[in-house]
Amino acid sequence: QHLKAAAQEREAQQLRVQNLTSQAQEAEAAERGRAAAVQRAAQEEHTRQLAEHVEQNRRWQEGANRRARLSDTLSERTWLARKLLDVGERVWAQGDDLKHSLAEEEELSFAEDLGARNDLDGDDEDHLLAGQ
């Protein structure tokens, strides 16, 4: 009987050990599951942050490209405006020169006409005097 009781006690201990082992295995499996979930969440967050970083870089690059194009356009327009201003100043100067030349030519022509008239007037006076 004593042996029977000892055998039953041993069997009960084995059942407790099996139960505890089973519980420990279940706890380990649950812990691995939680660890895997945490790892997946960390990877997803890392992937999200990388994607956000890539998108920010893309937007920054687009902005930099747009600023570069605007700067090039502005430089081209500034260069063109300077060229147009230079041409305009030369045309203005040529206009002034032409205006002065025309004025000189008109003065010269007027002086020549006046001189020719004076010569004619002088000739008329000579004829008149000769006729007297």
Side-chain angles (χ1 to χ4, degrees):
Q1 262 224 353
H2 186 62
L3 287 173
K4 192 174 185 182
Q8 286 177 344
E9 180 60 31
R10 186 174 176 160
E11 206 174 296
Q13 281 181 345
Q14 284 178 344
L15 284 175
R16 282 195 296 272
V17 167
Q18 286 175 352
N19 191 20
L20 289 173
T21 302
S22 177
Q23 288 176 356
Q25 289 171 345
E26 288 173 5
E28 285 176 7
E31 184 60 31
R32 282 192 303 274
R34 282 191 294 274
V38 167
Q39 180 66 27
R40 277 192 307 276
Q43 287 174 339
E44 289 171 1
E45 177 62 17
H46 182 68
T47 300
R48 184 194 66 75
Q49 287 176 353
L50 284 176
E52 185 178 298
H53 184 69
V54 166
E55 179 62 20
Q56 286 174 346
N57 282 345
R58 185 190 62 75
R59 284 194 307 264
W60 181 87
Q61 188 63 49
E62 283 179 356
N65 291 343
R66 186 172 38 258
R67 286 187 297 277
R69 284 191 307 273
L70 288 174
S71 178
D72 289 348
T73 300
L74 183 59
S75 294
E76 289 170 6
R77 289 182 181 175
T78 300
W79 178 83
L80 182 59
R82 286 182 181 147
K83 285 293 183 187
L84 288 173
L85 183 60
D86 183 46
V87 168
E89 287 173 349
R90 281 188 274 149
V91 167
W92 189 271
Q94 288 173 355
D96 283 348
D97 291 346
L98 184 60
K99 186 168 64 172
H100 292 304
S101 295
L102 287 174
E104 288 172 3
E105 201 173 294
E106 284 178 7
E107 287 176 13
L108 186 59
S109 176
F110 178 74
E112 288 173 353
D113 287 348
L114 190 58
R117 282 189 199 141
N118 286 340
D119 285 347
L120 286 176
D121 289 345
D123 287 346
D124 288 343
E125 286 177 9
D126 290 342
H127 287 328
L128 287 175
L129 290 175
Q132 286 178 355

